[in-house]
Amino acid sequence: MLKATTGLEALMTRPFPKALALLLGLGLALAQNSLERAESLFKAGEYAQAVLAYEEVLAQDYGRFEAHLGLGVSLFRLGRLEEARFAFDQMVRVFPDRYEGHYNLGQVYLRLGKPKEAAEAFAKAAGLSPTEEAYLGWASALAEAGQAKEAAAVLRKGLTPERSPAYHLALAQALYAAGARAEAVPVLYGLLNREPGSAEGWDLLARILAEEGLKERALRELDRGLKAVEGKARARLLLRKALLSSRPEPLLKEAYAQDPSLWEAAYLLGQARLEAGDAKGALGYLLSAYRTSPEPQVALALAAAYLRLKDYKNAYRYAEEAGPPGSFLKAQAAYALGRKEEALKLLEGLTAPEAQALRGTLLLEMGRFEEALALLRPLYESGRDPGVGVNLAAALIALGRFGEAELVLREVLGRAPRQAAAWYNLGLALRGLGREAEAERALNQAAALGSKEAQALLRR
């Protein structure tokens, strides 16, 4: 027993420097081998496998900077953003004085739609190393958070003589967004003196000059820019010139020809066709714009074009993609597709006269005459629209109020004497009042103007 105890005590008190050194050395070797494998996988684009390899390194040595960095970047490239956020958050805790962790954490927060947190991370990165990318990231996060003035102030703070043209452009854009247009002008001229091929610089300069009431000077600067800028980038300047021109279409066509991916030019060409009543001609331009950039206003224009072409399914689809601005067009398409209840629901809360007029039509067709009357009477009195008057009279006739209907219809016909529906409804109102001869004359007039309902009634 004593021997065993003595042996145990000897084992417990024996020094371990050589064994510890050996084990530590073995751990470093394993970690180094795992790190090399992880980096090889990363370089090969095998990010999912690289994640596992970097985790293995950290399990052996949580103080390996390269493994934290590689893990975070691999997760980011896989789109596993929450995991990437955690990885970089850990990195800045273990290495609070390293720039890379804070900067990358800012990038992840931006992608996660958390600009406030991104700004804080970029600010820490810029404090550790005042690089151009840190200041640009910081300003971008502030701009995304709706803090345009703060974004401009950050870029002002980080401005040094060696900053790139891209930095100067970002500063000018931030100043413009902050409402400091006059301050942006010298920045832009400085940029363009140094980098005359900057299409974005010329574009913003012309925009500011035009907004300051200097349209002719803006056009002259655009002409200078068009001489200095080459390739597809010229399309942006042609677009700006078109927006300032009294004859925009030739410039828009030239811009679109130079860069078919410039969705704004295609959209404006489509809108021009639509406004000219050429819905079919508008479609090609609008679809091109939508394929490049499915903006709500493009979807809205497509819905209007398809509605005019009586392609109600596509009209409904694009009106839905346009969001709230497309509610009325969506309701019109739903109505044309026979979905009256849905159309009525879509019109709730819409106060525009045309939306209210459609609502009145739906209520009439659904037999809800009292509701239709309550809606249509004030609507007609506010605008005296003939179509609304016809529907108001129809509601009155349905409720047996023939005398009131006649008064409304006489007024409508005084304004629109060739309104077939008004003559037809007048015939019905006069019949209701027992004035058959007058009713027949009104119905004959409606039939002559193309009313099929009147023609059918007269044949009976």
Side-chain angles (χ1 to χ4, degrees):
M1 190 64 138
L2 288 169
K3 190 175 181 181
T5 302
T6 304
L8 182 59
E9 288 173 350
L11 184 61
M12 291 178 65
T13 57
R14 186 183 302 156
F16 286 90
K18 290 186 180 179
L20 281 173
L22 178 64
L23 289 172
L24 184 57
L26 179 61
L28 281 171
L30 288 171
Q32 185 60 36
N33 289 338
S34 296
L35 182 61
E36 288 173 1
R37 178 172 172 273
E39 290 180 345
S40 176
L41 289 165
F42 180 87
K43 289 175 183 176
E46 300 286 343
Y47 300 121
Q49 293 302 312
V51 166
L52 299 176
Y54 283 125
E55 286 177 352
E56 184 180 336
V57 175
L58 292 173
Q60 297 166 30
D61 181 2
Y62 210 64
R64 292 303 292 259
F65 172 81
E66 302 91 335
H68 281 282
L69 182 60
L71 175 61
V73 175
S74 297
L75 289 165
F76 184 83
R77 292 190 179 177
L78 287 167
R80 292 156 60 177
L81 298 180
E82 277 296 342
E83 292 176 77
R85 180 206 60 77
F86 182 81
F88 287 125
D89 179 75
Q90 287 291 296
M91 186 175 175
V92 299
R93 291 174 190 277
V94 178
F95 304 99
D97 296 328
R98 289 298 295 260
Y99 164 88
E100 297 91 339
H102 296 287
Y103 177 79
N104 286 338
L105 184 58
Q107 293 280 35
V108 174
Y109 274 130
L110 269 184
R111 286 282 294 274
L112 286 169
K114 296 181 177 181
K116 183 180 177 182
E117 292 85 347
E120 292 173 0
F122 284 127
K124 289 176 182 175
L128 290 167
S129 180
T131 64
E132 179 169 313
E133 64 182 5
Y135 277 101
L136 287 172
W138 188 1
S140 176
L142 288 168
E144 197 170 307
Q147 297 177 271
K149 289 183 179 179
E150 291 80 355
V154 160
L155 291 171
R156 280 278 196 205
K157 178 182 177 181
L159 185 61
T160 59
E162 67 273 11
R163 294 301 187 210
S164 71
Y167 190 96
H168 286 81
L169 177 62
L171 173 58
Q173 290 169 332
L175 288 166
Y176 175 79
R181 294 186 303 210
E183 290 181 52
V185 170
V187 177
L188 285 166
Y189 274 111
L191 164 66
L192 294 169
N193 290 338
R194 180 179 168 190
E195 191 77 20
S198 173
E200 288 178 290
W202 289 110
D203 180 53
L204 182 55
L205 177 61
R207 182 174 184 174
I208 291 172
L209 292 172
E211 289 175 3
E212 290 289 336
L214 304 172
K215 180 179 171 182
E216 294 305 319
R217 181 175 171 183
L219 288 167
R220 288 194 294 273
E221 293 297 358
L222 284 170
D223 286 336
R224 290 190 185 97
L226 285 165
K227 291 176 183 176
V229 176
E230 297 179 351
K232 290 171 66 174
R234 298 180 79 256
R236 171 64 56 184
L237 303 188
L238 289 165
L239 172 63
R240 179 63 57 192
K241 192 171 180 180
L243 293 171
L244 297 175
S245 173
S246 57
R247 293 184 63 252
E249 194 162 341
L251 291 163
L252 289 171
K253 285 182 177 178
E254 189 180 352
Y256 182 62
Q258 289 201 5
D259 184 4
S261 68
L262 190 63
W263 71 267
E264 297 98 321
Y267 165 67
L268 290 170
L269 284 166
Q271 275 287 73
R273 289 275 189 276
L274 201 55
E275 288 169 9
D278 182 12
K280 189 174 181 180
L283 271 184
Y285 289 119
L286 293 173
L287 286 169
S288 174
Y290 189 82
R291 282 191 293 269
T292 303
S293 186
E295 301 292 329
Q297 63 264 45
V298 183
L300 192 65
L302 276 168
Y306 278 119
L307 201 61
R308 291 185 194 179
L309 293 167
K310 295 182 169 49
D311 184 345
Y312 301 120
K313 286 185 179 179
N314 270 320
Y316 184 93
R317 171 198 162 185
Y318 286 107
E320 187 171 42
E321 292 188 23
S327 296
F328 178 55
L329 292 178
K330 188 177 175 183
Q332 288 179 290
Y335 171 58
L337 290 166
R339 306 200 307 245
K340 295 181 182 180
E341 288 287 355
E342 181 187 357
L344 196 60
K345 187 171 181 61
L346 286 165
L347 291 167
E348 287 178 7
L350 300 183
T351 58
E354 58 268 26
Q356 291 295 298
L358 178 57
R359 191 161 183 265
T361 301
L362 283 161
L363 290 169
L364 272 176
E365 292 183 5
M366 295 166 77
R368 293 160 63 174
F369 303 122
E370 291 285 0
E371 291 176 73
L373 179 61
L375 185 150
L376 290 168
R377 189 186 292 283
L379 187 62
Y380 177 67
E381 289 173 354
S382 67
R384 291 295 193 269
D385 180 88
V388 175
V390 169
N391 283 347
L392 171 60
L396 288 165
I397 292 167
L399 293 167
R401 294 160 68 169
F402 304 115
E404 291 178 65
E406 181 187 3
L407 291 174
V408 170
L409 289 165
R410 296 286 185 195
E411 184 178 42
V412 167
L413 288 166
R415 294 170 180 271
R418 297 188 62 79
Q419 176 72 271
W423 284 109
Y424 174 74
N425 281 349
L426 180 60
L428 296 182
L430 292 168
R431 273 192 174 181
L433 291 167
R435 292 151 60 184
E436 288 295 334
E438 291 178 73
E440 188 166 349
R441 284 196 294 273
L443 290 170
N444 277 318
Q445 183 66 31
L449 290 168
S451 170
K452 293 181 181 178
E453 294 84 357
Q455 293 164 7
L457 199 59
L458 288 166
R459 285 196 295 268
R460 290 179 187 175

